[in-house]
Amino acid sequence: MQTSPVQDRLARTVLDLLTETTSRQISREIAHLADIGVDTSDDGTHIAPPGLLMPASGAITTLVVATSRDHPDVSEEMRVAVWPVAEGDDPAFVVTLSGSDRTLPIALREVQPELSAHLRGQVNDFVAATIAQVVTELNVGMQRTYIRESHGDEAEYTED
């Protein structure tokens, strides 16, 4: 089953809102902590999760890679994707986050005829939690690297 051009356009609108919200939420402190790389291309390897559709125009996705400025070998990456739902309007779209069970279901009424204030709040919370997760993982990776650099292979803790 193929998506309609309207579904594709609305899914891209949701991804644009996610991107805009993320840009607003990345504080100066986070920007000093890590280099942030963004890739919105679809390499053709993405597969729609069960019950969701691959947009006719290709995956509507963004890959974000945060690389520590102090320890360039420490990085975290995540891919956010917006998928139209195979059937129904509530939800009509689902935002997924790679490596996480966290999703953001979005009803059609939240997107059309315009983005609702409620959706903006949901996206704000989703992005805030995602940024906090990435910063935490970067900090853990940098701490592990610092310990190895300063104490050899005698880490005070392991990954388990």
Side-chain angles (χ1 to χ4, degrees):
M1 182 176 185
Q2 287 251 314
T3 59
S4 71
V6 171
Q7 284 175 306
D8 281 16
R9 180 180 54 78
L10 293 175
R12 290 190 187 286
T13 299
V14 170
L15 185 64
D16 289 346
L17 176 60
L18 285 158
T19 302
E20 172 190 316
T21 303
T22 302
S23 294
R24 236 184 15 257
Q25 284 193 18
I26 293 179
S27 66
R28 178 173 286 165
E29 292 78 18
I30 295 171
H32 280 94
L33 173 71
D35 289 317
I36 310 291
V38 177
D39 180 5
T40 59
S41 63
D42 173 19
D43 63 6
T45 62
H46 302 97
I47 299 171
L52 305 177
L53 299 174
M54 174 62 74
S57 60
I60 298 173
T61 182
T62 299
L63 173 67
V64 178
V65 179
T67 305
S68 167
R69 290 183 187 271
D70 292 338
H71 301 284
D73 57 327
V74 176
S75 67
E76 288 297 318
E77 72 177 46
M78 73 176 134
R79 182 171 293 281
V80 177
V82 181
W83 304 98
V85 174
E87 295 182 23
D89 291 351
D90 192 6
F93 303 96
V94 175
V95 177
T96 60
L97 180 63
S98 63
S100 172
D101 291 336
R102 193 165 10 115
T103 61
L104 177 61
I106 300 172
L108 185 59
R109 70 181 173 280
E110 300 287 348
V111 182
Q112 191 177 14
E114 63 185 34
L115 299 175
S116 71
H118 179 256
L119 176 61
R120 290 179 187 279
Q122 286 182 304
V123 166
N124 193 55
D125 292 347
F126 184 84
V127 168
T130 301
I131 289 173
Q133 176 184 340
V134 169
V135 169
T136 298
E137 292 300 321
L138 270 176
N139 280 330
V140 168
M142 289 187 302
Q143 196 61 26
R144 285 185 180 127
T145 300
Y146 171 75
I147 289 170
R148 279 192 301 270
E149 288 174 351
S150 61
H151 301 296
D153 287 332
E154 296 178 24
E156 294 176 20
Y157 58 89
T158 64
E159 291 185 31
D160 294 331

